[in-house]
Each structure stands twice: as C-alpha cells, then as structure tokens.
Amino acid sequence: MAGIGFRLDRIAREEGLGGIANAAFHGAVVSSGPWLMTALAVFLLQGWTRSAMAPADHAIIQTSLVYAFGVSTVITAPLAMIATRMASDRFYLGERDAIPAILLAALVWATLASQIAGGLLFGLAGRLRPDLFLLATAILTLFSQIWIASPFLHATWRHRPIFLAYFCGIAMVTLCLVLFRPTAPAAVLASIAAGLTVTLALLIAAIRDDFPNSPDWRTDWIGRTPGVLALGAAGLANALAIWIDKWLLWWAPGSVQAVGALRVNPVNDQASFLGLLTMIPGLTLILVTTETRFDRAFAALMGHCMGTANRRRIEKARRKVGRTIRLDLRLLMVEQAILAGFCWVLAPEIIRLLDMNARGIFGFRLTAVGVVFHLVAIQMSIILSYYDLAGRIVAVWGSFLLASAAGTLLFRDSGFAGFGFGYLAGAVTAASLAVALVAEATGRLTYLLFVGNNPAVVGNSGLWARFWP
C-alpha cells in the first residue's frame, strides 16, 4: 500500500475518536474498496439476470463470470508479483522510465495467457457459440489486465483513480442494462465487457499520467531482479490456494453442469464468496499495523545494523521486532475472531437477508472462521517479505494449497455440510507454518541480515537467488 498506513496512523492519533473512525474507514476503502464495489455489483447483477433472463441464459452469464474472474486471478498472480517487484525496484532506484515497459510486458503476457485459457474454457469445454465465446474470452482478458494495472497506481499513492475507474466501469454496465434492457446473453456480456473496458482505460490513463515515457524495451530487467521466479511461484501458490476448494467442489455432490462441460456449485460459490468478504476488517488492520509498528521496528533494526551500534543494541532491536510481531498478531486474531463469532451466530439471518440458499450456512460459517487463519498467513507472509525470504512464502501458500485440496477431497461426499472445511484446513495449516517460519527467522534475524541472507556474502545472481537461506 506504499506508505498509506503511516497516513492512517497519523489521522488516528491526531484526531481522537473521529480520527480513529476516519482512519478505519479509509483503511477499508484503500485495502478493499474495489473488491467491495465488485462484490456489490456482482450481487446486483446476479439478481437482475435471475429475474430478467431465462434460466439457461442466466447460467451462461454467471458461469462465464465465475470462470473469467477465478481463472484471471490465477493467471495474473505470478505476473503481478513479478511485475510489481521489478517496477518497485526500478521506482526505488529512480528509474521511472522503465515502468511503462514493465507494465506493457506484463499486460502482453497476461493477454496471451488469457486468450489460451479462454479458448480452452469457453471454446473447448464450454462449447459456447462464437459470439458468446469471443465475449467471454474478452471479459477474462480484461479482468486479467485490470489485475495487472491496479497495483501500479498503488505504488504512487494514487488510490482515488482506482475507485473512479471501478465506479465508472460499474456505471457503464448499469447504464447499458437500464437503457437497452437486454435479455440475450450476448448483449449482457457485451455490456459487462464495455464496463471493464472503461475501467481498464481509466486505469491506463492514470498510469500514463504518472509515467508518460514510451516503453523502452530491455532484456536484462528480469536478471536484475534476483529471486524473481520464487516471487512468481509464491503468487501462483497464493491464488491457487484460494481457489482450489471451490474448483474441486464444482465436481462434488450438489454441483451442476452449467454450460457445456463447465460446472459450478452455486450454493458453495455464493457462501464462500460472502465468507471471504469478512476479511476486509482484518486487511485494514494489517494495513495499519504492519505499515506502522512493524515497519518502524524493523527499520530501527536495519538502522542499527548499517550504523555503528554494538551487538547488544542490535539484539535489543531484534527482540523489539519479535514483540511487535506478537502484539500485532494477537490484535489481529482477537479482532477477526470476534467478527467470525458474530458471523457464526448470525449466519441464518445473513443468508436469509441476502436471499441465498440456506444450505450455504455451513460454507459461510467455516469460511468466516477460516478467514481468521488466512489473515494470519497473510500477515506472516508480509513479514517474510520484509525479511526477503521468498522460499518460505512459497512454502506457506503451498501448504495452504495442499491442505485445502486434501480437506476438500476428504469431505467432498459430505454434501453441503462439508462446504468450507477444505478452506479452513488449508488456512489453519498455512497460518501454523507461517507463524513457525516467522518465529524461526526472527530468532536468527541478526545472522540472516549479516551473513545467511546477505547478498554480499551468499551472492545475489540467478532467478532463484537466496530461495531458502
């Protein structure tokens, strides 16, 4: 989030209770605003298509969006991790002229991957007719390009253009649906594609304002970013871990064959998506705590290491880093556990209020509980990123992926009572491993900084450089 946490911390400290509320609101908007806007738009669109379209046409729209959204996040996760790391390195070094080329290269790779995925999903598996196939593939491609472009604005603290772009895109879709009242799936998909095009165009225009230079192609950028493949692997494992249980349940009892060979599980899909929205308060807290307390403690330690401090002062600063981690972790778990408890108790009323299938109560409850541990894994991964330990991040999300897949397969035949268990198992496993890895690395952090993970000592060349020091 590029320093926004310090601004929120200053607001909270200087403006009393109103400042705390203001900081919390802005933190939620910055960390999850586009996600909230997208979720609201999806829920409204789903209700509209269900009431205005034939069931078969409604299934085409919903299936196309679910697959486009899910597959695009997996496609772009490694690309976004690599591109944003390369861009941040160049940004830190003052090489702003390199940013447009890095962005363009990432967009090209995302487009190619999306075209291949669209052909396999909507053409080969879905067997959609040509116009629907082209529109669904275009939506998948636009999603991928938006996921790539958005972080480049976060890097320059320009959060407002992101919200404006999402708002204008949603407004475009709404305008098309209100003016033309389409009932054919092709017209609805075209309206959605138009909205996504507006969002992407506004994002690119804002990026061009910050980085107006023409792309300058260079072939040595990847080589100048050590450990880049580990970053990509971490991003891919992260995205797969979130989606693997949903994908496996598309072939479980209760799932339906929606379009061609494409399957969905409407009950679990809606319940798990709603449960993941409970992550927003925790993400806001991570944004504030990690960007302030931990960042300051770690910066003080690095200052001692690079200055003239003796070993006693360095060890004192290292122990303060450990205390800060424990404090932030306890605060996060308590806050999110309280929210999960409310969701568990109020799940029947929430499901009824949103007019969702009552069988989704189990999936919603277990997902809300799993979010507590998912957030722990996220917070610990951020700390491992500070320590520059990409291999351990891959291990955290790889364990999430494997445990989630195993738990989902174990309860696959339990019906709706087993929804959410795989996600919960994966989150608990990842959180446990992440806490253990952070504790181990923090305990020997002085050694890692001076010797074990010091590029001047162990080297810094290669795409897998310093994978597991």
Side-chain angles (χ1 to χ4, degrees):
M1 293 290 102
I4 190 65
F6 291 105
R7 297 183 179 184
L8 299 179
D9 179 65
R10 185 171 62 253
I11 292 173
R13 284 188 290 105
E14 295 178 356
E15 299 182 14
L17 292 177
I20 294 174
N22 190 22
F25 173 77
H26 279 86
V29 170
V30 170
S31 64
S32 309
W35 187 16
L36 278 173
M37 295 170 68
T38 303
L40 178 61
V42 167
F43 274 116
L44 293 177
L45 179 64
Q46 179 178 338
W48 184 85
T49 56
R50 185 186 295 116
S51 61
M53 303 180 70
D57 294 337
H58 167 75
I60 292 175
I61 300 299
Q62 295 303 314
T63 304
S64 299
L65 290 179
V66 167
Y67 274 82
F69 190 90
V71 173
S72 65
T73 58
V74 173
I75 287 174
T76 57
L79 293 172
M81 287 285 286
I82 293 172
T84 51
R85 171 57 187 270
M86 292 170 60
S88 65
D89 286 352
R90 306 281 78 76
F91 193 78
Y92 177 78
L93 295 173
E95 301 176 6
R96 296 175 62 93
D97 294 350
I99 305 301
I102 295 173
L103 172 61
L104 183 58
L107 290 175
V108 169
W109 282 108
T111 300
L112 292 175
S114 299
Q115 296 296 306
I116 294 172
L120 294 175
L121 288 173
F122 304 122
L124 185 62
R127 295 191 294 274
L128 295 176
R129 67 176 194 250
D131 57 338
L132 296 177
F133 161 71
L134 291 175
L135 288 168
T137 303
I139 289 173
L140 191 158
T141 303
L142 289 166
F143 270 135
S144 298
Q145 293 173 338
I146 289 171
W147 307 150
I148 293 290
S150 295
F152 282 78
L153 288 176
H154 280 299
T156 55
W157 296 0
R158 296 194 62 192
H159 308 292
R160 188 169 299 174
I162 299 177
F163 309 132
L164 177 63
Y166 275 76
F167 176 80
C168 290
I170 294 172
M172 172 61 74
V173 177
T174 304
L175 185 63
C176 291
L177 296 180
V178 170
L179 290 180
F180 301 107
R181 298 188 179 276
T183 56
V188 176
L189 290 177
S191 301
I192 297 171
L196 292 173
T197 301
V198 169
T199 298
L200 179 62
L202 291 175
L203 290 174
I204 297 297
I207 294 172
R208 291 290 294 169
D209 287 341
D210 287 332
F211 308 102
N213 304 83
S214 299
D216 179 22
W217 295 103
R218 294 175 60 177
T219 59
D220 61 340
W221 279 326
I222 292 183
R224 295 171 64 189
T225 306
V228 66
L229 293 184
L231 290 172
L236 180 61
N238 187 351
L240 288 173
I242 295 173
W243 281 98
I244 188 65
D245 63 308
K246 288 79 173 170
W247 291 350
L248 291 176
L249 289 175
W250 287 348
W251 278 268
S255 64
V256 296
Q257 187 169 339
V259 178
L262 301 180
R263 305 182 63 88
V264 294
N265 194 321
V267 175
N268 179 70
D269 291 344
Q270 293 183 12
S272 61
F273 186 70
L274 181 63
L276 287 173
L277 288 177
T278 64
M279 191 179 293
I280 292 171
L283 290 176
T284 303
L285 188 61
I286 290 175
L287 174 63
V288 175
T289 58
T290 304
E291 278 263 355
T292 53
R293 282 199 295 257
F294 175 79
D295 188 272
R296 290 191 180 106
F298 187 73
L301 172 61
M302 294 298 295
H304 287 321
C305 291
M306 294 185 294
T308 59
N310 56 30
R311 185 174 184 274
R312 181 182 62 81
R313 293 179 61 193
I314 291 174
E315 282 299 301
K316 182 180 179 180
R318 182 192 63 79
R319 288 192 294 271
K320 183 177 180 181
V321 169
R323 289 194 300 271
T324 302
I325 293 173
R326 291 192 295 272
L327 175 63
D328 291 346
L329 177 60
R330 182 169 64 247
L331 181 62
L332 174 65
M333 293 198 68
V334 170
E335 176 263 345
Q336 199 63 34
I338 292 173
L339 179 59
F342 275 108
C343 290
W344 186 282
V345 174
L346 299 177
E349 287 302 311
I350 294 173
I351 295 295
R352 183 188 63 81
L353 182 64
L354 296 176
D355 194 25
M356 295 170 55
N357 193 309
R359 292 176 297 173
I361 290 175
F362 296 90
F364 172 63
R365 281 174 167 171
L366 291 179
T367 301
V369 175
V371 162
V372 179
F373 301 95
H374 191 164
L375 285 166
V376 171
I378 291 174
Q379 187 177 44
M380 295 299 105
S381 295
I382 294 172
I383 293 170
L384 291 172
S385 298
Y386 270 85
Y387 296 168
D388 204 10
L389 300 174
R392 290 165 174 79
I393 301 175
V394 175
V396 168
W397 297 110
S399 69
F400 196 138
L401 171 63
L402 295 176
S404 181
T408 303
L409 290 173
L410 183 63
F411 285 85
R412 177 178 177 274
D413 296 327
S414 300
F416 60 86
F419 290 170
F421 184 84
Y423 171 77
L424 175 60
V428 171
T429 302
S432 303
L433 179 60
V435 170
L437 290 175
V438 167
E440 181 268 341
T442 304
R444 54 196 292 260
L445 186 55
T446 304
Y447 166 78
L448 289 173
L449 291 174
F450 279 101
V451 181
N453 202 28
N454 187 342
V457 177
V458 300
N460 199 35
S461 61
L463 299 180
W464 294 93
R466 296 183 286 119
F467 181 74
W468 197 287

